[in-house]
């Protein structure tokens, strides 16, 4: 399936309406990654925020069928199956990143201490499920968002460096968390419209959410398109 590179005007309006300004920059600390295809000159890193959810199994099945590893920036337990899904992500060789326990902007973006208290609680929980310490995280809303004062973000970054932790943004966004339910084709078009496509490595932002029923199909489209463009695939570490 050939995907166009146009940006849908209605989705642009949705971008302008949201209070959070999504970041399109890589983390300055994006130094350690694992590539699945050493022969590829460029690499795509699929990342899934806000899970695990009812969609996790579908996403993992597609990744397994395509022999691709990805990165899941998860939030705190939301239902009985959360621990089971977290362990499945881990046992299938994907990276697990922290996305805060609460995902509550008022709670995590008031003080740097509050942010770290929340994320360290999640870190302990993930360790209790997988036995592995998480060293990567993503700011809810990205490192540039209207809910978090710049000084707080900079203080968290500094503390992260001291803790030996790395943070990641993205430079291609499927916009599958905004407004109404997008079709798989629309999500793929949003990703492929990124100005960074073709110029280097890509970190793709998608969402692992029960209500985002079209995201797994969009993932399949994107895998085919990125392969056609000569990309390999990897996970963040």
């Amino acid at each position: 399936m050939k995907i166009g590179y146009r940006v849908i005007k209605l989705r642009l309006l949705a971008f302008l309406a949201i209070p959070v300004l999504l970041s399109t920059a890589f983390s300055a600390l994006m130094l350690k990654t694992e590539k699945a295809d050493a022969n590829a000159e460029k690499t795509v890193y699929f990342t899934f925020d806000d899970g695990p959810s009812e969609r996790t199994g579908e996403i993992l099945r597609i990744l397994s069928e395509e022999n691709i590893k990805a990165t899941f920036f998860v939030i705190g337990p939301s239902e009985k199956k959360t621990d089971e899904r977290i362990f499945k992500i881990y046992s299938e060789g994907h990276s697990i990143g922290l996305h805060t326990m609460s995902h509550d902007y008022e709670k995590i973006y008031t003080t740097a201490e509050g942010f770290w208290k929340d994320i360290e609680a999640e870190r302990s929980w993930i360790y209790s499920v997988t036995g592995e310490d998480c060293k990567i995280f993503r700011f809810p809303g990205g490192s540039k968002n209207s809910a978090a004062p710049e000084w707080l973000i900079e203080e968290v970054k500094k503390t992260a460096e001291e803790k030996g932790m790395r943070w990641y943004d993205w430079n291609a966004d499927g916009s599958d968390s905004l407004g109404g339910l997008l079709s798989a084709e629309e999500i793929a078009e949003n990703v492929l419209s990124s100005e960074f496509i073709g110029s280097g490595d890509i970190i793709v932002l998608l969402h692992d959410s029960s209500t985002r029923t079209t995201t797994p199909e969009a993932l399949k489209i994107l895998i085919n398109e990125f392969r056609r463009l000569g990309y390999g695939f990897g996970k963040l570490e």
Side-chain angles (χ1 to χ4, degrees):
M1 182 182 300
K2 186 174 181 180
I3 304 299
Y5 288 75
R6 67 185 184 278
V7 179
I8 301 172
K9 292 181 179 178
L10 289 177
R11 301 310 167 197
L12 287 175
L13 292 175
F15 281 132
L16 296 175
I18 61 172
V20 178
L21 299 176
L22 296 176
S23 170
T24 56
F26 280 109
S27 162
L29 301 177
M30 199 196 79
L31 301 176
K32 188 177 180 183
T33 58
E34 179 180 305
K35 294 186 178 182
D37 184 356
N39 296 319
E41 293 183 1
K42 299 168 291 186
T43 303
V44 171
Y45 301 94
F46 286 116
T47 69
F48 299 90
D49 283 11
D50 299 352
S53 74
E54 292 179 10
R55 301 279 80 76
T56 305
E58 297 175 61
I59 293 168
L60 290 176
R61 177 180 54 78
I62 293 167
L63 293 171
S64 177
E65 290 172 352
E66 299 292 346
N67 193 30
I68 291 172
K69 302 303 180 188
T71 306
F72 291 76
F73 288 99
V74 301
I75 58 178
S78 59
E79 54 182 297
K80 292 181 179 179
K81 291 186 177 181
T82 298
D83 284 11
E84 178 184 331
R85 289 165 177 157
I86 289 288
F87 189 78
K88 185 172 178 60
I89 292 169
Y90 169 74
S91 64
E92 294 190 7
H94 303 285
S95 289
I96 294 178
L98 307 170
H99 200 43
T100 74
M101 180 71 90
S102 66
H103 206 264
D104 182 338
Y105 282 34
E106 290 187 7
K107 181 177 181 179
I108 64 175
Y109 288 142
T110 300
T111 66
E113 291 79 9
F115 179 92
W116 280 113
K117 182 178 180 180
D118 192 284
I119 211 164
E120 289 292 356
E122 183 185 30
R123 190 178 181 184
S124 296
W125 162 57
I126 296 296
Y127 183 82
S128 74
V129 175
T130 66
E132 186 164 306
D133 189 20
C134 283
K135 292 287 190 178
I136 63 174
F137 70 95
R138 172 172 284 162
F139 293 97
S143 66
K144 300 181 187 301
N145 69 77
S146 60
E150 186 176 350
W151 64 264
L152 187 151
I153 294 292
E154 292 307 313
E155 188 171 336
V156 169
K157 289 179 183 177
K158 181 180 178 180
T159 304
E161 187 173 358
E162 294 169 354
K163 290 174 175 283
M165 298 180 70
R166 296 170 296 280
W167 58 274
Y168 292 94
D169 280 334
W170 58 89
N171 61 358
D173 184 359
S175 302
D176 54 342
S177 67
L178 304 178
L181 183 66
L182 301 184
S183 70
E185 290 76 15
E186 287 174 319
I187 295 169
E189 287 178 355
N190 287 337
V191 170
L192 294 169
S193 69
S194 168
E195 62 182 306
F196 296 96
I197 301 295
S199 62
D201 292 349
I202 300 295
I203 296 181
V204 175
L205 172 63
L206 296 171
H207 288 79
D208 176 5
S209 171
S210 297
T211 59
R212 304 295 105 181
T213 57
T214 55
T215 296
E217 182 63 29
L219 174 62
K220 291 196 287 187
I221 295 171
L222 287 167
I223 289 170
N224 290 334
E225 285 298 303
F226 278 118
R227 279 195 172 132
R228 184 181 65 79
L229 293 170
Y231 279 85
F233 303 91
K235 63 180 184 178
L236 304 174
E237 294 186 321

